[in-house]
Amino acid sequence: MILGNDPILLTPGPLTTSPATREAMLRDWGSWDAAFNRITQSLCTDLVGIVHGDDHYVCVPLQGSGTFAVEAALGTLVPRDGCVLVPNNGAYCARIVRILQRLRIDCVELPLREDEPVTAGALEQAFVREPRITHVAQVHLETSAGLLNPLDEIAALCKRHGKSLIVDAMSSFGALPIDLRAGGIDALVSASGKCLEGVPGMGFVIVKRSVLDASAGRSPSLALDLYDQYAYMKKTTQWRFTPPTHVVAALRCALDRFAAEGGQRARGARYARNCAALIDGMQALGFRTFLRADVQAPVIVTFHAPSDPKWNFADFFAAVRDAGYVLYPGKLTQVETFRVGCIGAIDANEMHNAVAAIGRTLERLNLRVQ
Ligand SMILES: *Cc1c(COP(=O)(O)O)cnc(C)c1O
C-alpha cells in the first residue's frame, strides 16, 4: 500500500487510512444538500447491516469522538432510576463508570484484572447479589490491554435475565463478528475512526427502535440527546446540528472499501494476519505480550516494556517515530507496558517493517529487552 511519507499509525485510532478515504474529504458539502443527507442515510443502513440488525434496529450517528456516543447512549437509554452493572477490566470500562457518576445513574462495578475477561458466571452472581441491576454496560474489546470479552455469552445471559445490554463496541465493530440476530443487545456504540478505517469525528449508536422510542425527553444533555438526534433526522433527513461533513464523506468511502475487501470476515482476517506478524516478530526480538493468546484480540497488542534500566517510553517512541512508525503508550495501572496497534489500512508487510524498525531502534538505543 502506498502511503507517502507520513508515518504509519500503529494506534487504535486515529489510524492510518487509505489514500482514497483521505481524498474523499477534498470536497465541501452543505448540510442542506440532499445528496449529502442521502450519504448519511446510506451509512446508517450499512452500519446496521454489518451487525445483522433488522428492522428492529436503527443507527443514530452523532458528532464527536467515540466517548460522546457512549455518553449519549447511557444518558438517553438508561432511565434515571435504572442501575447499571459495569464489568471493569480496563480504562474504557472505568470511563463508563465515570460517565454514569456524572449522569447520577446508580452503578455497580464488577472489578476484574486487566487481563481477565468477564465471565457469564460472574455476571450472573452480580445479578443475584444486586437485584436492582437493570442494565449492563459492557466493553466488548477493552482497548487498554487489547482484551476480548465474550460478548455472545454476555448477551445470551442478559437476554435470559431480562437485563438491558449496552455495548461499547468501539474497537471491535467491523473487525470482530457481532450478530444482533441472536438477541440480547439493546444498543451498540462505535465510531468512524477505528476498525472501519474512516477518520475520527463521528460516533454512532445502533439501538433497538423500541428502546429508543421509549427514551424521549430523558437525556439530561441537549447535544448528546440520542432520541432528539434521531427524531430530528427522521423528520428532516438532516443532522440536528452542524454535521461533520468531511468525516461522513470519508466514512462513505471507507465503508465502500470495507465491502469491497469482503466485509467483517475479511477485515478481521487481515487484522489477525497483522497481529500474528506483529507478535511473532516482537517475540523474536525478545518481547513478551501482556495477554494470553486466547484472550488477545487482533486489534492492539500490549507488550511488557524492556527490563533494561535505560528504558524510557518517550525516547523509544521518538526513535521509532523517526523510523516511520507511531506506537502507543501503555494504559495499564500496574505494569510498565507499551502498545502496538495492528488495525488501519495496513497489511502484514507493514507489520514486518515496523518490527524491523523496532529491532533497529533497540540496537541504536542499546536497549536490552530481557
Ligand atoms: C476508542 C475507544 C473509545 C472512545 O474513545 P475516544 O477517545 O472518545 O474516541 C471508547 N471505548 C473503547 C473501548 C475505545 O477503544
Side-chain angles (χ1 to χ4, degrees):
M1 290 178 211
I2 299 157
L3 298 158
N5 292 322
D6 290 336
I8 291 187
L9 303 180
L10 300 178
T11 60
L15 39 68
T16 292
T17 55
S18 71
T21 296
R22 294 196 295 274
E23 273 162 26
M25 293 186 287
L26 292 178
R27 167 163 178 202
D28 299 318
W29 295 87
S31 59
W32 280 78
D33 190 328
F36 172 75
N37 291 316
R38 278 195 298 273
I39 295 179
T40 304
Q41 258 322 305
S42 75
L43 288 185
C44 290
T45 304
D46 288 3
L47 292 170
V48 174
I50 289 171
V51 286
H52 314 286
D54 56 14
D55 277 356
H56 294 104
Y57 288 88
V58 295
C59 172
V60 189
L62 189 72
Q63 300 92 332
S65 85
T67 305
F68 292 57
V70 173
E71 187 159 337
L74 293 169
T76 307
L77 304 179
V78 183
R80 287 317 91 162
D81 59 356
C83 174
V84 184
L85 176 66
V86 185
N88 184 348
N89 42 22
Y92 292 100
C93 304
R95 189 178 292 175
I96 287 177
V97 172
R98 288 177 61 204
I99 290 170
L100 291 167
Q101 287 167 345
R102 286 290 185 101
L103 290 168
R104 299 184 194 290
I105 294 174
D106 195 11
C107 114
V108 175
E109 220 176 314
L110 176 62
L112 298 157
R113 292 193 320 269
E114 288 164 313
D115 61 352
E116 182 188 16
V118 65
T119 62
L123 279 186
E124 197 156 28
Q125 282 172 17
F127 291 162
V128 172
R129 249 189 343 263
E130 303 277 4
R132 65 183 204 281
I133 291 167
T134 54
H135 290 64
V136 175
Q138 179 66 52
V139 174
H140 183 196
L141 196 175
E142 232 312 340
T143 320
S144 310
L147 178 73
L148 188 60
N149 284 301
L151 183 57
D152 292 348
E153 286 168 42
I154 295 162
L157 184 83
C158 287
K159 188 176 170 186
R160 209 161 62 238
H161 285 261
K163 311 292 184 190
S164 176
L165 175 60
I166 298 174
V167 182
D168 172 347
M170 207 66 65
S171 60
S172 57
F173 192 97
L176 301 181
I178 299 174
D179 192 340
L180 293 174
R181 287 173 301 196
I185 298 177
D186 276 355
L188 202 60
V189 188
S190 189
S192 53
K194 296 213 172 173
C195 299
L196 297 173
E197 300 182 2
V199 301
M202 182 195 125
F204 56 88
V205 183
I206 294 174
V207 52
K208 217 177 241 174
R209 199 188 293 272
S210 57
V211 172
L212 186 61
D213 282 342
S215 66
R218 186 185 287 148
S219 171
S221 162
L222 176 74
L224 300 182
D225 188 334
L226 218 54
Y227 179 85
D228 271 6
Q229 177 88 335
Y230 173 68
Y232 186 89
M233 211 171 249
K234 200 166 149 192
K235 202 168 84 192
T236 65
T237 75
Q238 293 179 23
W239 291 63
R240 193 173 43 142
F241 306 129
T242 304
T245 46
H246 297 74
V247 177
V248 169
L251 185 58
R252 181 62 267 160
C253 178
L255 285 182
D256 290 342
R257 296 178 64 83
F258 176 82
E261 183 176 358
Q264 176 269 318
R265 266 167 184 261
R267 178 73 39 108
R270 174 161 58 84
Y271 290 171
R273 290 192 298 274
N274 289 356
C275 186
L278 172 68
I279 290 177
D280 289 352
M282 292 292 277
Q283 283 176 342
L285 292 175
F287 285 103
R288 285 179 305 121
T289 59
F290 172 73
L291 292 177
R292 297 194 320 261
D294 62 321
V295 297
Q296 170 72 64
V299 167
I300 186 162
V301 183
T302 301
F303 294 99
H304 287 283
S307 56
D308 196 315
K310 289 195 297 301
W311 163 260
N312 171 304
F313 177 74
D315 295 345
F316 184 67
F317 175 91
V320 177
R321 163 73 181 72
D322 288 345
Y325 298 91
V326 176
L327 305 178
Y328 216 51
K331 204 172 190 156
L332 302 185
T333 44
Q334 306 292 326
V335 271
E336 175 72 7
T337 55
F338 68 96
R339 291 180 289 173
V340 188
C342 43
I343 63 177
I346 52 175
D347 59 23
N349 255 332
E350 266 97 25
M351 301 314 300
H352 290 303
N353 293 341
V355 170
I358 288 171
R360 286 194 302 275
T361 303
L362 290 174
E363 281 177 25
R364 201 149 74 70
L365 300 180
N366 193 20
L367 275 175
R368 224 174 2 88
V369 177
Q370 278 174 26

